[in-house]
Amino acid sequence: MSENEPEAVDQEPPCPVCDDARWLNVNAPVGSPEFGTVVPCECQERVWGSHVRKRLRDYSDLGPLERMTFESMEPAGREGFVDPPGFRRAKDRAQTYSHDPMGWLVISGPSGTGKTHIAAAIANRIVADGRPVKFVSVPDLLDHMRASLDRNPEDSDTEDFEGLFSHIIEAPMLVLDDLGIQSPTRWAEEKIDQILSHRYARRLPTVLTTGLPVDQLPDRLRTRLMDPFISERIELSPGAGNADRSSVGLESSQLSLMTFDSFDVKGARRATQRQRATLQAAHAAARSFAEMPQGWVYLSGPTGVGKTHLAVAIANVQLNQGRSVLYRFVPDLLDQLRRAYQPNSPSGFDREFQLIRNCEVLILDDLGAQASTAWAEEKLYQLIVHRHTAQLATVITSRVLLDEAAADGFTKRYSDAIASRLRDTRVVGEYPIFAPDFRSQPSAAERPSRSSASSTRSAKAAGRK
């Protein structure tokens, strides 16, 4: 060796066990808990030694995305870019998946909704737990694969195509970001199909993000992404683009006047002690729900006892906590949905109905007051069943008491299917209010002053004498 020739660098010889793939598929029959899993080859321990975490970071290719963790993301996503309740649900599901990645997780949504952050957070959590994961952007991956095809054999900085392709399809955990935005060439589609077909057949855990609706992806890809036996889909919806409360369904005057502090738990001046007790119980239950919304609150009682006041007070607290709240007077809600069916509607029916079905806190005011038609019953049934099954926080006010379930009048207001959900005490808590109609109280101008009342009593006393 001449003086000018660089000194040879010791390199590990090719591994005869894994052929430098670094990971081995477990030879287990279909149906076995170990089917489709991979384990590190014995050469991993030799190469990694005490630097496992650094090696995992290097292997992951996360690079600058190491900062994108569950802890660093906004709890409700970027304000105005993503629907907050949908983002919270996506984050919760992604955290669960990161602890035990099984099957495929498909995250879809338009640009800016946080797909890449959620996917990177999954990868970072897996690395932090000491497990291997490979994170790749699909357009970048295809660029690297094209470059490796043209690789100069003497260029040691570029991995050969077979090695790169093997590392991707055999990765024990793979995150493919931005699927669908690559150049739509036949070669690109073929390579993506090969990667996913291989991982699909072996049930290798995979996270995919896409900015396209799943039904717009190629047929073979779509069938895999929609297979319920291996794939779970998370859809992120765009945000409203502003932080105002105009879509809540309440006037600012209602929000400012109807608070918990302004609710009179003593009731009208002629309320009995028992009636005041129902006001106090409903007020306490509504306030507790507003602080931590879980399950459903059903506020029942005659007109004018304060049911809507408490429902709006709940909305106030939830809005101040940054949650998405929708208030709908039920007859108006059904009119709104009917209008959405019209061809000239600014927003289609499906979008309107999905928004109402999936909002974080839904307030249905005066349920049972709507006109009872087959169409109205069907839409209310779909809405209530969806929120009951998903146990989404819901507040209902109604003049119908749930203990009237056996009465003829009850089933005329609600179908048996709706009534069954409302009577489910595991989800729904009813708080009946019995008190005089506060609207029938004399106004301040009509009430006699203390001096005039005293004079009247004195005159009556004098008359009796």
Side-chain angles (χ1 to χ4, degrees):
M1 182 172 63
S2 67
E3 294 182 1
N4 296 328
E5 187 175 350
E7 185 177 353
V9 179
D10 292 337
Q11 295 183 347
E12 287 283 331
C15 176
V17 179
C18 67
D19 195 24
D20 281 352
R22 301 175 187 166
W23 306 96
L24 298 172
N25 288 313
V26 175
N27 186 16
V30 177
S32 168
E34 295 183 346
F35 176 75
T37 60
V38 293
V39 295
C41 177
E42 61 188 31
C43 67
Q44 295 278 39
E45 298 298 329
R46 242 184 7 255
V47 175
W48 289 5
S50 61
H51 304 289
V52 174
R53 188 59 52 83
K54 183 181 183 303
R55 294 285 183 177
L56 284 172
R57 286 287 176 195
D58 293 341
Y59 174 79
S60 72
D61 280 337
L62 279 161
L65 300 185
E66 290 181 8
R67 59 184 173 78
M68 291 187 173
T69 64
F70 289 115
E71 293 74 22
S72 68
M73 68 175 57
E74 293 292 332
R78 293 173 65 193
E79 184 177 342
F81 285 84
V82 63
D83 176 52
F87 186 86
R88 287 192 180 96
R89 288 192 295 271
K91 178 184 176 183
D92 290 344
R93 180 63 192 98
Q95 285 182 299
T96 301
Y97 181 89
S98 68
H99 290 298
D100 185 21
M102 299 286 289
W104 290 12
L105 191 65
V106 181
I107 307 171
S108 62
S111 178
T113 51
K115 303 183 300 297
T116 297
H117 196 146
I118 291 176
I122 293 174
N124 278 302
R125 175 64 56 80
I126 290 173
V127 171
D129 289 343
R131 293 171 290 158
V133 59
K134 195 79 170 175
F135 186 103
V136 292
S137 163
V138 172
D140 290 347
L141 170 63
L142 293 170
D143 286 344
H144 290 318
M145 290 170 64
R146 290 187 187 97
S148 64
L149 284 173
D150 301 328
R151 172 180 179 265
N152 186 328
E154 297 180 358
D155 184 2
S156 60
D157 292 333
T158 305
E159 188 174 13
D160 66 86
F161 178 85
E162 293 299 330
L164 173 61
F165 196 65
S166 175
H167 288 167
I168 296 301
I169 66 173
E170 297 290 356
M173 172 72 203
L174 178 66
V175 179
L176 287 174
D177 191 33
D178 274 338
L179 181 67
I181 70 168
Q182 68 275 2
S183 300
T185 65
R186 190 167 183 175
W187 181 86
E189 289 186 2
E190 177 187 332
K191 294 307 152 191
I192 294 299
D193 181 70
Q194 288 175 349
I195 292 171
L196 295 182
S197 295
H198 179 91
R199 300 186 67 80
Y200 177 85
R202 289 159 179 76
R203 297 299 194 260
L204 296 175
T206 307
V207 174
L208 305 103
T209 77
T210 178
L212 296 176
V214 176
D215 57 7
Q216 293 184 16
L217 294 170
D219 290 344
R220 281 175 57 82
L221 177 57
R222 184 175 67 251
T223 56
R224 285 162 172 73
L225 267 57
M226 297 181 70
D227 184 348
F229 294 102
I230 186 176
S231 182
E232 178 180 356
R233 292 169 56 196
I234 295 176
E235 296 185 29
L236 296 170
S237 301
N242 56 62
D244 68 62
R245 302 180 176 189
S246 59
S247 63
V248 173
L250 290 165
E251 299 292 337
S252 58
S253 58
Q254 289 176 282
L255 289 167
S256 61
L257 292 174
M258 295 183 178
T259 66
F260 285 115
D261 291 337
S262 66
F263 185 81
D264 187 0
V265 295
K266 295 180 180 179
R269 56 189 174 87
R270 59 184 184 278
T272 66
Q273 184 175 356
R274 179 172 294 182
Q275 289 172 334
R276 289 175 179 173
T278 65
L279 287 166
Q280 293 166 3
H283 179 268
R287 191 158 214 161
S288 176
F289 177 89
E291 293 171 356
M292 186 175 293
Q294 292 181 339
W296 291 17
V297 167
Y298 188 94
L299 300 168
S300 59
T303 298
V305 295
K307 305 185 299 296
T308 298
H309 188 134
L310 289 176
V312 176
I314 290 172
N316 260 309
V317 174
Q318 287 298 292
L319 287 168
N320 289 334
Q321 290 182 3
R323 296 184 182 273
S324 65
V325 179
L326 287 181
Y327 166 94
R328 294 294 184 265
F329 178 60
V330 174
D332 288 348
L333 166 64
L334 293 171
D335 286 343
Q336 174 190 355
L337 294 177
R338 288 187 188 97
R339 288 193 298 271
Y341 263 126
Q342 299 174 3
N344 59 350
S345 172
S347 58
F349 174 84
D350 289 341
R351 184 181 184 279
E352 287 288 333
F353 199 49
Q354 285 298 108
L355 183 67
I356 296 167
R357 277 164 40 111
N358 294 314
C359 67
E360 282 186 287
V361 181
L362 176 64
I363 299 172
L364 295 174
D365 194 19
D366 218 354
L367 182 65
Q370 71 280 355
S372 183
T373 66
W375 184 89
E377 194 70 34
E378 177 189 351
K379 295 307 153 193
L380 285 175
Y381 171 73
Q382 292 173 345
L383 176 61
I384 286 173
V385 167
H386 174 79
R387 296 189 67 85
H388 177 271
T389 302
Q391 295 194 20
L392 299 174
T394 306
V395 179
I396 296 175
T397 77
S398 178
R399 286 170 274 176
V400 179
L401 302 176
L402 293 183
D403 62 5
E404 295 175 353
D408 291 339
F410 187 88
T411 53
K412 291 180 181 178
R413 300 285 187 91
Y414 305 143
S415 69
D416 291 339
I418 291 177
S420 174
R421 270 79 180 178
L422 296 178
R423 293 197 302 267
D424 184 356
T425 56
R426 297 169 302 175
V427 177
V428 184
E430 182 186 14
Y431 302 94
I433 305 174
F434 301 103
D437 186 344
F438 70 87
R439 297 188 186 93
S440 66
Q441 297 184 67
S443 65
E446 295 172 333
R447 294 176 194 144
S449 64
R450 290 188 177 182
S451 58
S452 62
S454 177
S455 300
T456 301
R457 287 194 297 268
S458 299
K460 288 181 178 179
R464 285 195 297 272
K465 291 179 180 178

